[in-house]
Amino acid sequence: MTGPILTRREGGILEVTIDRPKANAIDLKTSRIMGEIFREFRDEPSLRVAIVTGAGEKFFCPGWDLKAAADGDAVDGDYGVGGFGGIQELRDLNKPIIAAVNGICCGGGLEIALSTDLILAAEHATFALPEIRSGTVADAASIKLPKRIPYHIAMDMLLTGRWLDAAEANRWGFVNEILPANRLMERAWELARLLESGPPLVYAAIKEVVREAEGRDFQTTMNKITRRQFKTVDILYSSEDQLEGARAFAEKRDPVWKGR
């Protein structure tokens, strides 16, 4: 696919690149395209893992395209099936997604990164929620960030809009790894290949349980697991892969996952 979103597929891995010069900002049209791409990723059984990154070396994504807004894009307009950026509100997205943050990651761009499962950052990457300075609210980040990092650090970012470098983002725990810029995508693909080789039904169960547990107490969630009330857990416990995992362990060999 050619701009504003580029895609590359290798085996079960899908790479999604935001490519909207000069800054990779997202307008309504781009968000809807991303939603369709990630919906296809969710629904295609042969796709196992996705990587999302930005084109160039300066910007991952600054979020909402203010120039498009000035030209008439409504901030509460139709972002598409997955909400802003295609993944924030996409239901049942039970496959691993890696963010490879190659530069400035702020506003809605940071909210997209927070919607992924693993965040890798180039050494020069920077992070912020500058919405406060334009008189608006970082809505998704206000929900997610205080659950991911210490409350007072999250509130500092939300209330002041200050910037964090990659080292501080890593120190507070919302960046998994920091890498030289020329190693970022290589490492993202290494990690994606590792995940591609893993059990997709287990990944799906992990993601559903983690997502649902955010709004529930521990025992309620555990009861739903043991009673097989999560769809993904029920599928997993009745699957060939569940038996394959046990057999491979007993036979001291690597399992062969089929996703069924």
Side-chain angles (χ1 to χ4, degrees), residues 5 10 62 100 104 135 140 180 201 245 258:
I5 304 297
E10 180 183 299
I104 292 171
L201 297 183
K258 297 180 179 179

Side-chain angles (χ1 to χ4, degrees), residues 14 44 49 79 103 150 163 168 211 214 227 234 242 248 258:
L14 178 69
E44 172 51 59
V49 187
Y79 291 111
W163 288 82
E168 185 174 3
R211 185 173 60 246
E214 281 193 336
R227 295 168 185 165
D234 186 47
Q242 178 77 25
K258 297 180 179 179

